[in-house]
């Protein structure tokens, strides 16, 4: 029964995405909504991304210094491991998990509320492709802004690491700089961006699906919002394993 329900949900999701990816009927309205969603979903999330990344970068640097540093290791190891962790996992995967809670619940509740108040039905009656009109700008908006959030997250993580050097005196700034610059592989940054693009699509499309297909009243909207966050998080974790294997 679980497999049947899963396949049924997957089929409904794919059918909805087929409607979403149709060419917009009014490009001028679409671009206006697209810019609005970039601001709502992405720009408004920059604050929380910078705040979390700053403290995570600082904590990672402290933990590396206190727990793996030894006289047998170079002093720049803490900075090197901090950079690798921020680039390879936190700024893409973990940050997207956090955004799944903020952005995903926002998308699901917004579209779900429109469904239960019959606004989506009104769009369908007027002959408008409601799926494309409501969901496509959100998907493209979040996918477009996500690489910027990844870069900001990685950069702020480095700033947090420097804060431990200048304020906490955990590691000297010179040793931290040497570690951050040691054996840098540009592909790691591109890999993080590629992963974040996939995660952004998962967050936006899955959350929109749960909001668009909600049935009932306000209680079901809340349940759909919860299901959107949980499902997006699980899919991000699963896809992270495959993407890491493919891109490494």
């Amino acid at each position: 029964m679980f497999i049947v329900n899963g396949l049924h949900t997957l089929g409904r999701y794919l059918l909805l995405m087929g409607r979403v990816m149709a060419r917009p009927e009014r490009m001028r309205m679409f671009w206006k909504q697209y810019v609005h969603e970039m601001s709502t979903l992405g720009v408004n999330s920059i604050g929380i991304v910078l705040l979390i990344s700053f403290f995570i970068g600082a904590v990672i640097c402290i933990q590396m210094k206190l727990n793996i540093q030894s006289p047998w290791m170079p002093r720049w190891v803490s900075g090197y491991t901090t950079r690798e962790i921020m680039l390879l996992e936190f700024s893409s995967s973990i940050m997207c998990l956090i955004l799944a809670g903020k952005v995903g619940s926002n998308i699901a509740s917004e579209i779900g509320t429109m469904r239960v108040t019959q606004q989506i039905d009104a769009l369908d009656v007027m002959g408008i492709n409601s799926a494309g009109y409501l969901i496509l700008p959100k998907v493209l908006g979040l996918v477009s802004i996500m690489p910027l959030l990844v870069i900001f997250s990685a950069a702020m993580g480095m700033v947090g690491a420097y804060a431990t050097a200048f304020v906490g005196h955990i590691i000297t700034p010179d040793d931290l700089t040497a570690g951050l610059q040691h054996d840098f592989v540009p592909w790691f940054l591109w890999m993080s961006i590629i992963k974040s693009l996939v995660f952004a699509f998962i967050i936006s499309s899955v959350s929109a699906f749960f909001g668009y297909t909600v049935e009932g009243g306000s209680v079901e909207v809340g349940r759909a919002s919860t299901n959107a966050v949980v499902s997006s998080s699980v899919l991000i974790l699963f896809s992270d394993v495959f993407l890491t294997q493919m891109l490494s």
Side-chain angles (χ1 to χ4, degrees):
M1 181 62 67
F2 176 78
I3 297 178
V4 173
N5 292 335
L7 292 176
H8 177 67
T9 302
L10 177 61
R12 295 175 64 192
Y13 170 79
L14 294 177
L15 289 174
L16 179 62
M17 288 301 105
R19 294 177 56 194
V20 168
M21 296 306 168
R23 186 179 185 276
E25 299 169 355
R26 296 182 179 181
M27 292 301 299
R28 184 177 180 181
M29 182 66 69
F30 166 77
W31 285 112
K32 181 179 179 181
Q33 191 67 17
Y34 167 71
V35 174
H36 172 73
E37 296 299 343
M38 284 183 64
S39 174
T40 302
L41 302 178
V43 177
N44 291 346
S45 301
I46 291 179
I48 187 67
V49 168
L50 295 180
L51 180 65
I52 295 175
S53 299
F54 176 85
F55 287 105
I56 291 298
V59 169
I60 291 175
C61 186
I62 294 173
Q63 293 284 12
M64 294 300 104
K65 176 64 178 178
L66 297 181
N67 293 291
I68 73 170
Q69 194 74 57
S70 74
W72 302 100
M73 291 185 179
R75 290 178 296 180
W76 47 259
V77 168
S78 298
Y80 173 78
T81 53
T82 299
R83 186 198 70 201
E84 297 298 277
I85 292 173
M86 291 298 300
L87 281 180
L88 292 175
E89 279 305 314
F90 181 83
S91 295
S92 58
S93 307
I94 307 303
M95 185 55 63
C96 285
L97 283 175
I98 296 172
L99 291 178
K102 178 184 182 298
V103 176
S105 60
N106 182 15
I107 294 175
S109 59
E110 178 184 345
I111 297 180
T113 301
M114 296 183 69
R115 169 63 74 183
V116 299
T117 55
Q118 299 182 343
Q119 297 180 52
I120 295 179
D121 296 332
L123 291 174
D124 292 332
V125 169
M126 290 187 292
I128 299 175
N129 179 12
S130 58
Y133 178 77
L134 296 174
I135 300 175
L136 185 59
K138 297 182 184 298
V139 173
L140 294 182
L142 186 60
V143 170
S144 299
I145 200 69
M146 188 60 76
L148 188 64
L149 296 179
V150 169
I151 295 173
F152 283 173
S153 174
M156 187 54 66
M158 309 305 171
V159 173
Y162 273 107
T164 64
F166 286 101
V167 179
H169 304 291
I170 299 296
I171 184 175
T172 64
D174 292 337
D175 291 340
L176 179 60
T177 301
L180 294 177
Q181 295 177 347
H182 177 74
D183 197 21
F184 175 67
V185 180
W187 170 244
F188 288 168
L189 177 60
W190 288 108
M191 185 171 68
S192 182
I193 291 176
I194 293 172
K195 289 166 61 177
S196 70
L197 293 176
V198 177
F199 300 154
F201 179 80
I202 291 175
I203 294 171
S204 55
S205 62
V206 171
S207 301
F209 167 76
F210 279 99
Y212 191 86
T213 57
V214 69
E215 297 177 356
S218 57
V219 175
E220 281 70 22
V221 173
R223 186 176 293 113
S225 179
T226 301
N227 292 336
V229 174
V230 173
S231 300
S232 298
S233 301
V234 172
L235 288 174
I236 287 173
L237 293 174
F238 272 108
S239 59
D240 186 29
V241 176
F242 293 104
L243 288 173
T244 302
Q245 182 68 29
M246 290 174 57
L247 298 174
S248 299

